Amino acid sequence: MPAAAPNSVRAADRLARRLAEAGCRFAFGIPGGEVLTLIDALARAGITFVTAKHETAAAFMAEGV
């Protein structure tokens, strides 16, 4: 896979930044695969990722917050 250009911005970073600007402070889900890039971007944007064991549990946690 080719390396990213030095000044390029990942889509995950843009998404995380927009979520943070919108007031999002927590994200819930199951880490793994492609999600790891997003989890890294969320952390850089100041959003806490909360790990769940099941997608339904993550949805309930998000609704509770």
Side-chain angles (χ1 to χ4, degrees):
M1 179 168 17
N7 294 328
S8 67
V9 178
R10 300 180 305 179
D13 291 316
R14 287 185 184 207
L15 174 63
R17 209 172 13 229
R18 294 291 293 141
L19 287 170
E21 289 170 2
C24 179
R25 296 295 168 243
F26 297 95
F28 303 87
I30 302 170
E34 301 82 19
V35 178
L36 296 177
T37 302
L38 181 57
I39 293 171
D40 175 58
L42 291 169
R44 289 198 234 188
I47 299 172
T48 302
F49 184 82
V50 180
T51 303
K53 290 188 176 185
H54 192 276
E55 290 139 352
T56 304
F60 282 130
M61 288 189 282
E63 179 65 25
V65 170

